[in-house]
C-alpha cells in the first residue's frame, strides 16, 4: 500500500504543504476537516518561510563576518612576520631568553597557529614596542600604534564573528521549530484524511498525496555511477526498495530531444554498447515495482562514449 510520508528536503516539504493547503481549500469543507485546515496549514508554512529566510540571511551575514575576520587575521600574520624580522636585528635570529618579553609562544619564532595565540601575541608586541621604542621601524610600520590597531581590529572582528555564529544557531533553532510545527500540521491533516476518506478516494490526489490503497511505488534509484566504454557505457546504482526491475534511459546530447529507454534489467547494473564514440550522453535510471508502477528518475549522470 502507498504510504504518505513527509519529504525530508525542506523545499519538497513546503511544496507538499502548498498542495495540501490547495486540497484543503477545494475539499476541506465537503470532507469535513476540522482540526487541521487550510488556514492552519498556510500559517504554519508562512512561519517556516519566514524562519528560513531569517536563517539564510544570518548565514550570509556569517559569511561576510568570516571574510572580515580572515582579512584582519591575515593583516596580523603579516605584521607578526615583519615585526619578527625587524626584531631579529636586536634580539637574535634564533629564539632565546631575550625574545621572552615580545610574547612569542612555545619558545619559538614561528607565527602562532591559532587565531587566539596571534591575537595575544599582537597585544604583547604592542606592549614590547611601547617599552622599547628604539626597536620600532616606522617605514615598515612595525610600531606599537600599528600593533594596537591591528589587535583591536582582529579582536572586534572575532567578537562579531562569535556573535554572528550564536545568532545563526538561534535562527536555525527557530527554523527547525517552525518546520516541526509544519510537520505536525501536515501529519495531523493526513491522519484526519485517513479517518474521512476511503483508501482509493481520488481526492487524496488533490492534496498532493498518495491514495493509501494504491500499490506502493518504488523509490527513485540512488548513487548512479556511469563509466564510459567503447561504444557505450556501464551504469551501476544502489538497490531500491520495492523495485522488481530497472529501466535505463538515455538522451544523446545534440541528437535526442527526450529520454528513451535502452535497457530493462533486474540487476543493479547495465551495459549499453550501441552508441557512437565521442557522443555526450545523459543517463538516468527508473525503478519499477511488481505492479508495473514506475518511479521518478534518478539523478542524471553524463558520460562521453568511448
Amino acid at each position: 500500500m502507498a504510504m504518505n510520508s513527509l519529504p525530508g528536503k525542506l523545499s519538497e516539504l513546503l511544496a507538499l504543504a502548498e498542495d495540501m493547503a490547495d486540497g484543503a481549500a477545494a475539499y476541506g469543507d465537503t470532507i469535513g476537516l476540522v482540526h487541521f485546515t487550510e488556514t492552519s496549514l498556510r500559517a504554519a508554512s508562512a512561519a517556516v518561510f519566514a524562519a528560513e529566510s531569517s536563517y539564510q540571511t544570518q548565514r550570509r551575514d556569517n559569511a561576510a563576518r568570516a571574510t572580515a575576520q580572515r582579512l584582519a587575521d591575515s593583516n596580523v600574520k603579516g605584521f607578526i612576520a615583519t615585526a619578527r624580522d625587524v626584531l631579529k636585528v636586536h634580539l637574535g635570529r634564533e629564539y632565546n631568553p631575550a625574545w621572552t618579553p615580545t610574547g612569542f609562544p612555545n619558545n619559538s619564532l614561528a607565527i602562532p597557529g591559532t587565531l587566539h595565540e596571534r591575537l595575544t601575541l599582537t597585544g604583547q608586541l604592542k606592549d614590547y614596542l611601547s617599552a622599547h621604542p628604539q626597536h620600532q621601524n616606522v617605514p615598515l610600520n612595525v610600531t606599537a600604534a600599528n600593533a594596537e590597531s591591528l589587535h583591536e581590529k582582529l579582536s572586534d572582528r572575532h567578537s562579531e564573528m562569535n556573535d554572528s555564529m550564536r545568532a545563526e544557531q538561534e535562527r536555525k533553532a527557530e527554523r527547525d521549530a517552525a518546520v516541526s510545527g509544519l510537520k505536525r500540521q501536515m501529519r495531523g491533516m493526513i491522519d484526519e484524511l485517513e479517518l474521512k476518506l476511503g483508501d482509493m478516494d481520488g481526492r487524496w490526489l488533490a492534496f498532493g498525496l498518495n491514495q493509501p490503497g494504491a500499490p506502493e511505488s518504488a523509490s527513485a534509484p540512488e548513487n548512479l555511477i556511469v563509466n564510459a566504454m567503447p561504444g557505450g557505457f556501464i551504469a551501476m546504482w544502489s538497490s531500491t526498495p520495492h523495485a522488481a526491475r530497472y529501466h535505463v534511459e538515455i538522451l544523446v546530447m545534440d541528437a535526442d530531444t527526450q529520454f528513451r529507454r535502452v535497457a530493462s534489467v533486474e540487476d543493479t547494473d547495465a551495459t549499453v554498447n550501441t552508441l557512437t564514440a565521442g557522443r555526450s550522453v545523459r543517463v538516468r535510471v527508473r525503478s519499477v515495482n511488481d505492479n508495473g508502477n514506475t518511479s521518478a528518475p534518478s539523478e542524471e549522470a553524463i558520460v562521453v562514449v568511448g
Side-chain angles (χ1 to χ4, degrees):
M1 296 181 65
M3 302 294 291
N4 278 305
S5 56
L6 299 180
K9 192 173 181 180
L10 183 57
S11 60
E12 295 175 359
L13 183 74
L14 288 167
L16 177 58
E18 179 67 19
D19 289 342
M20 291 177 65
D22 289 343
Y27 297 106
D29 290 341
T30 57
I31 292 173
L33 292 178
V34 176
H35 302 292
F36 301 94
T37 64
E38 176 199 5
T39 300
S40 63
L41 190 55
R42 291 199 191 281
S45 292
V48 172
F49 273 112
E52 172 68 2
S53 176
S54 179
Y55 172 52
Q56 294 301 333
T57 297
Q58 188 59 52
R59 289 189 67 191
R60 289 191 292 272
D61 181 72
N62 265 17
R65 301 288 185 188
T67 298
Q69 178 180 274
R70 282 194 298 271
L71 177 59
D73 191 27
S74 177
N75 291 337
V76 161
K77 290 178 184 178
F79 173 79
I80 292 172
T82 304
R84 176 187 58 191
D85 291 342
V86 168
L87 292 176
K88 282 179 179 179
V89 176
H90 307 286
L91 304 176
R93 301 192 63 80
E94 302 294 334
Y95 189 89
N96 62 74
W99 281 92
T100 302
T102 67
F104 273 89
N106 308 315
N107 297 325
S108 170
L109 296 182
I111 296 175
T114 69
L115 184 148
H116 178 72
E117 289 178 324
R118 293 189 290 273
L119 188 60
T120 300
L121 174 56
T122 308
Q124 291 179 295
L125 283 170
K126 183 265 294 185
D127 293 340
Y128 178 85
L129 292 169
S130 295
H132 302 82
Q134 71 277 18
H135 291 173
Q136 297 186 114
N137 187 313
V138 175
L140 293 179
N141 218 10
V142 177
T143 64
N146 191 36
E148 182 176 21
S149 175
L150 292 170
H151 178 273
E152 289 180 353
K153 287 179 181 177
L154 180 55
S155 178
D156 289 346
R157 299 297 86 78
H158 186 52
S159 178
E160 291 166 359
M161 185 72 226
N162 286 338
D163 290 344
S164 188
M165 289 177 65
R166 283 192 292 271
E168 180 180 333
Q169 292 172 350
E170 292 170 359
R171 299 295 88 75
K172 183 178 185 299
E174 292 166 358
R175 190 278 310 273
D176 291 347
V179 169
S180 295
L182 175 60
K183 287 182 176 179
R184 285 193 296 272
Q185 287 286 327
M186 296 171 72
R187 188 70 258 170
M189 183 174 287
I190 291 171
D191 291 343
E192 194 168 354
L193 288 171
E194 288 176 348
L195 295 175
K196 298 177 181 295
L197 296 181
D199 285 351
M200 291 302 293
D201 193 309
R203 288 173 292 182
W204 282 100
L205 303 178
F207 288 79
L209 298 168
N210 297 316
Q211 295 167 298
E216 179 115 27
S217 296
S219 302
E222 297 181 345
N223 304 316
L224 174 63
I225 299 174
V226 180
N227 294 316
M229 60 174 286
F233 59 84
I234 299 174
M236 297 169 285
W237 55 90
S238 298
S239 178
T240 304
H242 309 298
R245 60 190 307 102
Y246 302 91
H247 292 164
V248 179
E249 301 175 341
I250 68 168
L251 185 150
V252 179
M253 298 169 67
D254 298 324
D256 294 336
T257 58
Q258 59 186 10
F259 278 88
R260 54 190 170 89
R261 188 191 309 171
V262 291
S264 183
V265 298
E266 295 182 359
D267 295 325
T268 55
D269 61 84
T271 299
V272 176
N273 57 8
T274 58
L275 303 174
T276 302
R279 301 306 296 264
S280 295
V281 180
R282 292 162 58 188
V283 183
R284 68 187 190 187
V285 182
R286 295 179 186 267
S287 55
V288 185
N289 68 7
D290 287 325
N291 297 295
N293 293 322
T294 304
S295 74
S298 67
E299 291 189 1
E300 297 178 15
I302 297 178
V303 64
V304 179
V305 177

